[in-house]
Amino acid sequence: MSARYPFTAVVGMDDLRLALLLNAVSPQVGGVLVRGEKGTAKSTMVRALAGLLPSIAAVGGCRFACDPAAPDPGCPDGPHDLSVVREQPTRLVELPVGVSEDRIVGSLDLERALAEGVKAYEPGLLAAAHRGVLYIDEVNLLNDHLVDLLLDAAAMGQSYVEREGVSVRHAARFLLVGTMNPEEGELRPQLLDRFGLTVEVAATREPVERAEVVRRRLAYDADPDGFAERWAQPEKELAARITTAQALLPQVGLSDSALRQITAVCASFEVDGLRADIVMARTATALAAWNGRTEVLTEDVRTAARLALPHRRRRNPFDAPGLDDEKLEDALEQSAGEDPEPDPDGPDGGGPEGGGPDGGGPEGGGPDGGGPDGPSGGGQDAPGDGGGSAEPGESADQPPSGHPRSGPVPPQPAAPAASPYRTRLLTVPGTGEGASGRRSKARTDSGGHTVRAARPTGALQRLHLAATIQAAAPHQLARGRDGRALRLRHDDFREQVREGRESNLVLFVVDASGSMAARQRMSAVKGAVLSLLMDAYQRRDKVGMITFRGAEAVLALPPTSSVEVGAARLEQLPTGGRTPLAAGLLRAHETLRLERLRDPRRRPLLVLVTDGRATGGPNALPDARRAARLLAAQGVAAVVVDCESGPVRLGLAAELAGHLGGEAVRLDALAADSMTGMIRTIQREAA
């Protein structure tokens, strides 16, 4: 087995390095969430951290690695023989994306528990991670209930397995580290808050640093063991510093002045609850110990705020986490000014600002100045012209005016979106089996409610106790029951069939032609689509967006879990030109066909935003109707948002909804208090 990549050999990444080391010094900080683009060494650093942590003493024969100095009195493997002790390295347990709840918490053999009265328990990943590191790659792709379960265990330090009155509990204290790529979707704010610290990482834009990264990686790939040997001494020094800081931590004092600064900063950024204050206090204390001090200084509070608050500040769903440095400095200065005693750390504070020393680089190591963030974004999306021919303010549905034209008319400037609002729930009819979410009805193995009992098709997961007893009761005399115990056979067992909610693929098909802009409706249309995007974000849906104008339809946003990208594309959407409605619907058909191959269990919901007009030739409207019937034949659930306005209305959007086999709703009826009729219709169809 090749040697792991050394922690100290990673170039740059100062904030991530510091956050991981602070959690190693004080696991009570609450773990680290690492946000960043792909290929930024997130996983490499996390996996390397475990090698720096000191080995632990564990009770011999205990599957839960109980500490012999303080064994868990409720350990399922107890009581322990404390005379047998083993030394073992700190474990790194990785959680795969497709993991099940039973694999995380462990599984209980319910058949043996009921029939034999024994607790046959197989520990899960939480037990394996006890006193070690639990690493969750792509944590934003885990089902919400699994993330809740993991964070609850991390907060309480214990894991519980409950199955029909049979309980098993064991200790589960670990350093929790999660990584995610924001382009693949965000975590809910409630889950973000449960991570102690968060760090944004990005590949450095400095050619010298990038060259050093490549040089070291190539050297490691060529000779992993030799490369690790060259970095062995810096690794030992850093491991020793962690041990020293852990020993110093209990001696660090948090003065009233420092505590007042912490609470003032949290109040200034209007964070919800008090978890941020507690995390900041623990982080500042760990920073002081890491720097060899027994007193928390202003620089510790400043750095703790930059690590603990960005993901907790109040923000809109589509805003990236971040912190206003000027606001932070104002809060620190004001809270320091209220203290009648002089500031103990003075003007310079005795250490570098914005990250503190990390002790991670060897002599002659990689650059560490300033961090690797670089420019915050890639190139802007420049929507295409689309070949529009309508003049600004003129409807493309009308014949061109008589005056000569000098050439193609460019699209109108992108209209700003109106303020978003809460929309009513749009659902896909029927019952699905897709990923856990909050939109449409679905059969599920977790969450939801029990609707009936059934014979298990595989291993028994969720026992339906009443149905099991009812199935076994008529056979007790024939089986010779002679005591209080119930005589059960395999065929008697019944499991719960549960119904919950699933997430869907919401595909927006947005009309951006001249007819939508002629009556100044695009601002309202964008506000409506933005509101639906926010609803999709909250319901954990995937989203995609197709726009059509001029002579073509464009897949502006391929199906993704990152609704923030959809909001950005919507904001930049220009209007103008003719209305190739059929092209938009055919592009939707092809997009859904390909997505069905990638994720066959995720059901789509088509949201068509248009006034129903189609231009571009005498067959434009018949072609659009045929395309709509093609989607209906594929069983695609659809809602048409009717954007037609004015005293004279043609009702083309409602007619198109009929061809789609869906429902039409007026643009001004999308708000939560005005969609009752449509929801009732969808519910009738689902029944």
Side-chain angles (χ1 to χ4, degrees):
M1 181 176 179
S2 299
R4 60 175 177 79
Y5 195 92
F7 187 86
T8 52
V10 177
V11 178
M13 312 288 281
D14 296 334
D15 287 344
L16 175 55
R17 178 183 287 109
L18 181 61
L20 291 173
L21 291 172
L22 291 178
N23 273 272
V25 172
S26 176
Q28 288 187 325
V29 166
V32 185
L33 176 64
V34 189
R35 297 165 45 93
E37 59 197 25
K38 55 184 177 295
T40 50
K42 302 187 298 293
S43 300
T44 299
M45 288 200 73
V46 175
R47 294 187 177 109
L49 176 68
L52 294 174
L53 300 178
S55 59
I56 61 173
V59 175
C62 178
R63 296 173 296 169
F64 303 87
C66 277
D67 186 353
D72 178 14
C75 178
D77 285 356
H80 297 300
D81 180 4
L82 300 183
S83 64
V84 181
V85 178
R86 70 177 186 272
E87 195 82 8
Q88 67 181 45
T90 299
R91 295 189 61 181
L92 171 69
V93 176
E94 298 191 37
L95 201 74
V97 172
V99 69
S100 66
E101 180 178 345
D102 284 345
R103 183 72 185 95
I104 292 175
V105 300
S107 57
L108 194 66
D109 192 330
L110 295 179
E111 295 186 30
R112 291 190 62 192
L114 287 176
E116 303 174 26
V118 297
K119 294 183 180 180
Y121 174 66
E122 183 65 28
L125 294 176
L126 289 181
H130 179 47
R131 305 177 66 197
V133 180
L134 181 63
Y135 172 44
I136 313 171
D137 194 15
E138 305 292 356
V139 63
N140 52 325
L141 301 185
L142 278 180
N143 288 335
D144 283 354
H145 79 282
L146 296 181
V147 180
D148 281 325
L149 186 154
L150 290 165
L151 295 175
D152 285 342
M156 296 186 298
Q158 291 187 337
S159 175
Y160 293 88
V161 183
E162 300 282 347
R163 292 290 189 273
E164 298 295 343
V166 182
S167 302
V168 173
R169 180 203 62 80
H170 65 81
R173 294 184 296 275
F174 46 82
L175 194 166
L176 178 65
V177 183
T179 60
M180 60 175 283
N181 184 349
E183 294 178 358
E184 296 172 340
E186 284 283 359
L187 281 173
R188 289 187 287 118
Q190 296 89 334
L191 300 180
L192 281 173
D193 184 53
R194 301 297 294 275
F195 280 94
L197 310 179
T198 187
V199 177
E200 292 277 345
V201 296
T204 176
R205 303 299 190 256
E206 292 293 330
V208 175
E209 286 193 12
R210 295 176 76 95
E212 183 64 19
V213 172
V214 175
R215 185 179 298 112
R216 294 186 186 182
R217 185 70 210 190
L218 293 177
Y220 172 78
D221 292 340
D223 183 9
D225 294 331
F227 185 85
E229 181 62 28
R230 290 195 294 274
W231 292 84
Q233 185 59 34
E235 292 280 287
K236 291 179 182 178
E237 293 173 359
L238 187 57
R241 186 175 176 184
I242 293 173
T243 303
T244 301
Q246 289 174 337
L248 183 62
L249 183 64
Q251 304 174 36
V252 178
L254 183 66
S255 66
D256 289 342
S257 174
L259 182 58
R260 185 158 49 248
Q261 284 186 315
I262 289 170
T263 55
V265 168
C266 291
S268 176
F269 283 96
E270 299 181 334
V271 296
D272 295 326
L274 294 172
R275 183 176 283 118
D277 306 63
I278 297 171
V279 170
M280 271 191 65
R282 291 172 174 167
T283 305
T285 304
L287 270 164
W290 178 247
N291 289 306
R293 290 185 267 101
T294 58
E295 183 180 8
V296 174
L297 305 182
T298 298
E299 67 184 66
D300 299 323
V301 176
R302 180 184 293 110
T303 304
R306 288 172 176 161
L307 294 173
L309 294 187
H311 59 303
R312 291 187 169 93
R313 68 173 179 83
R314 290 189 178 180
R315 57 191 176 95
N316 292 326
F318 302 136
D319 293 342
L323 211 60
D324 187 333
D325 288 340
E326 184 176 347
K327 187 175 182 180
L328 173 60
E329 294 301 327
D330 289 344
L332 288 172
E333 290 177 7
Q334 292 176 9
S335 58
E338 296 170 359
D339 189 0
E341 300 179 0
D343 190 349
D345 51 64
D348 296 326
E353 295 183 4
D358 56 38
E363 294 183 8
D368 61 359
D373 292 340
S376 59
Q380 293 182 352
D381 298 307
D385 178 305
S389 59
E391 294 185 5
E394 179 182 355
S395 170
D397 300 327
Q398 304 298 326
S401 55
H403 64 79
R405 294 180 176 174
S406 58
V409 179
Q412 300 183 37
S419 298
Y421 47 83
R422 186 171 64 90
T423 66
R424 294 296 296 270
L425 173 62
L426 304 177
T427 62
V428 177
T431 303
E433 297 179 344
S436 175
R438 298 183 173 185
R439 183 170 298 278
S440 303
K441 187 167 64 173
R443 288 178 290 273
T444 178
D445 293 331
S446 59
H449 59 280
T450 302
V451 294
R452 60 186 177 87
R455 293 179 184 271
T457 56
L460 183 63
Q461 300 292 333
R462 292 185 174 273
L463 179 73
H464 196 299
L465 184 59
T468 298
I469 295 175
Q470 186 177 11
H475 308 290
Q476 294 305 297
L477 290 178
R479 294 174 185 173
R481 178 181 176 185
D482 54 2
R484 299 177 60 185
L486 192 66
R487 291 185 175 268
L488 297 174
R489 294 181 180 174
H490 180 75
D491 290 343
D492 297 330
F493 287 97
R494 300 292 185 271
E495 65 180 3
Q496 302 172 18
V497 176
R498 303 176 70 86
E499 262 188 15
R501 292 280 171 179
E502 67 176 0
S503 62
N504 299 110
L505 167 60
V506 183
L507 181 62
F508 295 95
V509 182
V510 182
D511 185 348
S513 64
S515 65
M516 299 289 287
R519 301 177 180 87
Q520 302 300 317
R521 287 175 295 178
M522 186 48 69
S523 180
V525 168
K526 286 186 176 182
V529 177
L530 183 62
S531 302
L532 292 168
L533 276 170
M534 290 180 64
D535 182 67
Y537 165 81
Q538 294 165 350
R539 300 188 187 281
R540 311 297 293 168
D541 293 316
K542 290 182 70 173
V543 297
M545 185 183 300
I546 292 170
T547 63
F548 57 94
R549 55 176 292 273
E552 62 180 352
V554 177
L555 181 60
L557 178 67
T560 175
S561 296
S562 180
V563 294
E564 297 92 334
V565 179
R569 301 283 170 87
L570 179 70
E571 192 68 29
Q572 299 167 358
L573 180 65
T575 57
R578 298 189 181 277
T579 314
L581 179 56
L585 293 174
L586 290 174
R587 176 58 67 93
H589 176 269
E590 179 64 14
T591 301
L592 294 178
R593 184 187 69 82
L594 294 175
E595 192 64 21
R596 193 177 296 116
L597 296 175
R598 298 188 184 101
D599 191 357
R601 297 179 60 188
R602 189 183 295 271
R603 297 189 295 161
L605 175 63
L606 178 71
V607 179
L608 175 62
V609 184
T610 182
D611 56 10
R613 301 188 182 193
T615 60
N619 294 322
L621 191 55
D623 288 345
R625 291 168 178 166
R626 282 193 291 270
R629 289 194 292 270
L630 178 62
L631 284 162
Q634 297 296 319
V636 177
V639 174
V640 179
V641 179
D642 185 358
C643 301
E644 190 176 31
S645 62
V648 178
R649 300 181 180 179
L650 303 179
L652 295 176
E655 181 183 347
L656 187 63
H659 290 286
L660 283 166
E663 183 75 13
V665 57
R666 291 174 54 85
L667 179 64
D668 55 6
L670 271 177
D673 57 355
S674 57
M675 291 182 66
T676 305
M678 184 186 69
I679 299 301
R680 287 176 179 170
T681 301
I682 293 178
Q683 289 176 340
R684 283 197 302 269
E685 292 177 357

